[in-house]
Amino acid sequence: MTPDLSMTEGRAAPLGATFDGDGVNFAVFSGHARRMYLCLFSPDGKTETHRLELRERDGEVWHGYISGLRPGQRYAFRADGPYAPKDGHRFNVNKLLLDPYAKRLTGHPEWHDALMGYTVGHKDKDLSFDTRDSAPYMPRCVVEDPSFAWGETTPPDTPIDQTIIYEAHVKGLTALHPAAEPKGTFLGLASDRMLDHLTDLGITAIELLPSQAFLNDRFLVDKGLVNYWGYQTLGFFAPEPRYLSQGQIWEFQHMVARLHSAGIEVIMDVVYNHTCEGDHTGPTLSFRGLDNASYYRLHEDQRHYINDTGTGNTLNLEHPMVLRMVMDSLRYWVEVMGVDGFRFDLCSTLGRTATGFDPGAAFFDALRQDPVLTRTKLIAEPWDIGPGGYQVGAFPPPFLEWNDKFRDGVRRFWRGDAGQSRQVAGWVMGSAQQFDHSGRPATASVNLITAHDGFTLADLTAYNQKHNMANGEGGRDGHGENYSDNFGVEGPTEDDAINAARARRRRNLMATLLLSQGTPMILAGDELGNSQGGNNNAYCQDNEIGWVDWPGADAEMLAFTKQLIALRKAQPILRQKRFLHSRERVSDGLEDLFWLRPDGAPMGVEDWQDDSRKMVCAEMRMASGTPNYGLETTAVYIALNAGEAVEVTLPKVSSGWAWSLGVDTARPGVEGETATRFTVAADSMVAFVLQPEARDG
């Protein structure tokens, strides 16, 4: 032990370890502990140099101040209290506990039975009590001064109707990139060549899979695998250590600053619905040992956990201190770390109360009144596995929502399923049937064809079945119904005709995504033709299966995706906040959406009821108040054809105007042709833009 340190009472706020220039204030919440201890460690983290009791307590917050401590100090807590699982309490002073507010962790727990609060293998199971010290197997918290010189860099603050999201994994995006250094890290993501790719592509926001510190599940480690995706949060304030090449939190801030300088916003995928501690048989790492009965939603028997998340536990956001932790975490990532928004994993869980899902739950109300967070982009994954958990369209403003109905409907339409034409018409126009209520904009629908969870775009056109054997679960994991189409051959083929058909289908799907009303989200690598070999659940594949295949990039698909993004940006009618309707607009009394048959006549009821119909044609208008086409009017005509080739008659236009081809998925790269009638090739999509006619001379 080093000489005794002098501890004064300190203060109850803020929570966590706060350096003030002279020393460090420590504050930690526990409503049921009897004693709380602060453990300090040597610079290498191996030796516990001090164990100091926090004797001061304001309500449910234990605190103390130590002069002379500096950033870099390693620390953790121990909590003493009742070990009574049947009463909801699992205190065990033998277990080293991470600070829920820790701004940096030195690494990850090393799996050992000593991490459990109970004796593994005991006849009483989790009702037994384990006396082994878990410290040798635990990482340490680190005191940080998170100040950062942002300079003149400012957040892009991109309007939501101009937003194009790119969902990416920090390591997966950079591991095989030839010039991203250091690979697999925040700094690698901020490298010049990576930024060049993102800006050239044209995306406006990157949505990062979990980047808060997370756990490698024991069952994965035992199989020689790891938690690759990161949906098992260990610390809600700390960046994931494996993405820090120098072990410093400024690396994350530098990445954000670099992305901002390129005009790209940073959205974090965050997991506040559960923690990595699992069910009643899981480890005691932090929350469970600090105050199990407060942090988690428990069954009536108090021993077991409510499991609306499928991960073993559910955070109790009805408790004010747990809600405070989540809100403090969100504000920290915005105000200190610089991020621009959040995608909330299993967001239905965050709105659960004792009576079920409530759009007016405490968490949603807290977000909606927060002056910091209301300026950010908030995206819900609108489901969980609990009763009544599927809530697409039910979230309150200003939430955007992942729209799996768009995903599945568009996939089924292009696969040629019967009766999908009338369904896809709704999805491409912003899914008004789900979101046109409560003043919500069309941009509330986050449209996606693919995401990290499921097939990539390339695999969607190459596999009918999932191929997940590498996950070690006998192929039982992952979605069973993917609405995919392998064109007659499972997996790679040398058949030129099949490969051409697959490429066109990929272009159709990407074009539908980027030319639909709503907020588009592209999965990183889809623009490059990236494949996961048919694995639709690569959550544990930190290898070539899960990484983006830069060496095998499809240059034609990349060029086509750039063409689509450029077209979307150039045509405001493709990204309206207000819903387009086949009826008069409130603003000027004009119609702005026309559903047409191929011959140019309006669609009738009998046309919509025809389940054999494979084609959808629409004209969208944006005008300033005149019923005739004029200089202040823009219009776009789109035709989606999942059947045989069909000639279409384009809408009549005023003299001096013409329909100019914006994109044709049957002829990637071709644009600018003018026409009054046009043959839409089989299994293809076209978009025409109304433009002034070219004049000679």
Side-chain angles (χ1 to χ4, degrees), residues 470-485:
N471 295 354
E473 299 180 44
R476 295 181 298 273
D477 61 301
H479 297 301
E481 180 52 81
N482 297 283
Y483 304 114
S484 58
D485 184 2

Side-chain angles (χ1 to χ4, degrees), residues 413-591:
F413 172 80
W414 285 114
R415 192 173 68 168
D417 291 10
Q420 293 303 305
S421 293
R422 59 179 174 270
Q423 298 296 330
V424 82
W427 308 138
V428 300
M429 291 303 162
S431 303
Q433 60 272 50
Q434 298 295 134
F435 297 101
D436 191 7
H437 61 82
S438 307
R440 302 187 74 183
T443 48
S445 174
V446 175
N447 299 332
L448 65 153
I449 301 296
T450 56
H452 68 276
D453 186 3
F455 279 147
T456 67
L457 186 62
D459 289 352
L460 194 63
T461 63
Y463 295 92
N464 281 352
Q465 306 297 326
K466 59 186 178 181
H467 295 265
N468 297 354
M469 294 303 292
N471 295 354
E473 299 180 44
R476 295 181 298 273
D477 61 301
H479 297 301
E481 180 52 81
N482 297 283
Y483 304 114
S484 58
D485 184 2
N486 68 8
F487 290 83
V489 175
E490 188 75 354
T493 179
E494 295 182 1
D495 187 306
D496 292 341
I498 290 178
N499 286 329
R502 288 175 173 179
R504 184 181 297 192
R505 180 67 55 81
R506 291 195 292 273
R507 294 194 294 270
N508 290 337
L509 291 164
M510 186 67 81
T512 307
L513 172 65
L514 287 167
L515 302 184
S516 291
Q517 303 294 327
T519 303
M521 186 187 82
I522 301 169
L523 173 64
D526 278 354
E527 79 278 18
L528 305 170
N530 183 61
S531 170
Q532 293 179 168
N535 191 317
N536 75 348
N537 189 32
Y539 76 103
C540 56
Q541 299 299 327
D542 187 6
N543 50 47
E544 286 80 359
I545 293 175
W547 302 339
V548 172
D549 180 15
W550 290 94
D554 181 341
E556 290 187 357
M557 186 64 192
L558 176 59
F560 183 72
T561 306
K562 291 180 181 179
Q563 179 187 357
L564 287 170
I565 291 176
L567 178 61
R568 181 179 182 86
K569 289 185 174 182
Q571 300 300 324
I573 190 62
L574 295 173
R575 43 185 173 82
Q576 291 296 289
K577 291 186 68 175
R578 292 186 177 181
F579 286 94
L580 302 178
H581 290 293
S582 300
R583 59 177 184 266
E584 292 183 351
R585 293 189 301 243
V586 175
S587 59
D588 54 21
L590 300 177
E591 293 179 277

Side-chain angles (χ1 to χ4, degrees), residues 656-658 674 691-697:
W657 292 84
T674 59
Q691 292 185 346
E693 279 187 319
R695 299 180 183 275
D696 295 334

